[in-house]
Amino acid sequence: GILVAGIGVTSSRSMISDMTEEELHVATTQLASQATNEYDGDWAFQNGDLYKGGENVQAELTEEMDALKADTHIEYSLIYGKTRAASTIKDQIGKDVSDAVAQTVLGGKAYFNPDVVIGGEPYYGYYLPLKNDDGTIVGMAFTGRPAADIQAAIFGMAVKEGLVTVVVLVLIALRGEQAAPCGHGPHQRI
């Protein structure tokens, strides 16, 4: 029973992590696509504001990301170069992502990490390149979920699996007690 519960918890942890990665991949792809295609022209970041095609889009994109967060409970950021230009994680606007993340994503690759630390808090995070219309990579789109939320889901599944295992073991024990012969030892003849 313990072995089965352990395998179940390990499988659940892996499944939840995989599902979270896929969810964040879809959300990040949507964010990058929407932000890029909503406005014409190249990205720029000047005086703390994000521009697309010469138009200041900071307030509008922030409002859109805040609405997405309200619906999905996912954190969203647009990063110009290494700097968070617009984000639902308000205290991180203007701060840089790590060099490891920047090197990977600005190099053209997606980056998923179930232990990204942002403002001292661990997140499951997904980053994709943010591009100008000509395909030049100028930054990153990010989505993330607090690791505490994911760990709570894993813990909840572990508790459920543990309870099911205990119930099954109790039922098996009760069934075994009912099936045991009364008063006859293993070596008695009838």
Side-chain angles (χ1 to χ4, degrees):
I2 292 170
L3 179 62
V4 169
I7 291 170
V9 169
T10 301
S11 296
S12 295
R13 179 179 294 130
S14 177
M15 179 185 70
I16 289 173
S17 182
D18 290 347
M19 288 174 60
T20 301
E21 180 178 0
E22 183 61 27
E23 172 192 44
L24 294 177
H25 169 78
V26 169
T28 311
T29 301
Q30 177 196 2
L31 175 63
S33 177
Q34 181 178 339
T36 298
N37 295 323
E38 194 168 341
Y39 309 95
D40 291 328
D42 290 343
W43 291 99
F45 186 57
Q46 302 166 349
N47 301 321
D49 287 326
L50 192 59
Y51 290 81
K52 183 88 163 64
E55 180 182 348
N56 186 335
V57 297
Q58 182 80 24
E60 191 171 332
L61 286 174
T62 298
E63 187 177 305
E64 290 173 10
M65 288 189 299
D66 287 341
L68 285 170
K69 179 183 176 182
D71 288 341
T72 64
H73 306 289
I74 294 174
E75 300 288 357
Y76 294 84
S77 296
L78 289 172
I79 301 156
Y80 188 84
K82 288 177 54 173
T83 305
R84 281 185 201 278
S87 183
T88 57
I89 310 171
K90 303 303 182 197
D91 66 342
Q92 293 302 302
I93 296 172
K95 296 187 179 177
D96 288 351
V97 299
S98 74
D99 289 337
V101 169
Q103 184 177 4
T104 300
V105 182
L106 296 176
K109 295 180 183 173
Y111 181 86
F112 172 73
N113 189 336
D115 193 27
V116 173
V117 178
I118 301 171
E121 296 295 321
Y123 284 84
Y124 279 59
Y126 202 99
Y127 297 82
L128 283 175
L130 184 64
K131 300 175 182 178
N132 280 332
D133 293 342
D134 67 359
T136 305
I137 298 170
V138 295
M140 299 168 247
F142 162 85
T143 61
R145 281 204 179 275
D149 293 353
I150 307 303
Q151 297 306 323
I154 292 169
F155 179 76
M157 286 190 75
V159 167
K160 288 176 189 173
E161 289 173 5
L163 289 174
V164 167
T165 301
V166 168
V167 168
V168 168
L169 290 175
V170 167
L171 290 174
I172 289 171
L174 291 175
R175 180 79 173 146
E177 235 178 65
Q178 291 174 354
C182 296
H184 299 287
H187 300 289
Q188 277 187 323
R189 292 193 175 162
I190 298 181

